[in-house]
Amino acid sequence: MALMITDECINCDVCEPECPNDAISMGPVIYMIDPDKCTECVGHYNEPQCQEVCPVDCIPFNPARRESREELQAKYERLQAEKQET
């Protein structure tokens, strides 16, 4: 499943540069994660990097976006292919 950022976010700016898929961006009030780009860092790292660096622990798994490791891997491969096309 993709990750999400909760309203406990303090806008510290540490998560955005850590995302290898550019899934994190500033929303109207706090940072947001695009679930179509979030692979939980599958294909890049063993653990989600945004969770690793978040000082307030406000990046849980998004229960509305349940995805298996295989689905996350397929999403990673699709994103990489799209990146190669540009």
Side-chain angles (χ1 to χ4, degrees), residues 29-69:
V29 178
I30 60 173
Y31 280 92
M32 301 170 39
I33 296 178
D34 180 344
D36 293 328
K37 292 182 176 180
C38 179
T39 64
E40 298 174 29
C41 290
V42 168
H44 295 281
Y45 302 102
N46 291 329
E47 300 293 328
Q49 297 302 289
C50 58
Q51 286 182 331
E52 294 289 313
V53 299
C54 181
V56 292
D57 195 29
C58 68
I59 309 176
F61 293 101
N62 185 342
R65 292 295 297 248
R66 293 191 172 272
E67 296 169 286
S68 68
R69 185 149 184 91

Side-chain angles (χ1 to χ4, degrees), residues 5-17 24-33 53-59:
I5 297 177
T6 66
D7 59 5
E8 285 93 26
C9 175
I10 59 171
N11 292 326
C12 67
D13 304 322
V14 298
C15 61
E16 183 181 21
I24 301 174
S25 62
M26 180 52 108
V29 178
I30 60 173
Y31 280 92
M32 301 170 39
I33 296 178
V53 299
C54 181
V56 292
D57 195 29
C58 68
I59 309 176

Side-chain angles (χ1 to χ4, degrees), residues 63-80:
R65 292 295 297 248
R66 293 191 172 272
E67 296 169 286
S68 68
R69 185 149 184 91
E70 291 77 21
E71 290 170 316
L72 293 168
Q73 181 67 36
K75 188 191 304 185
Y76 161 77
E77 291 169 8
R78 177 183 53 80
L79 291 168
Q80 292 303 304

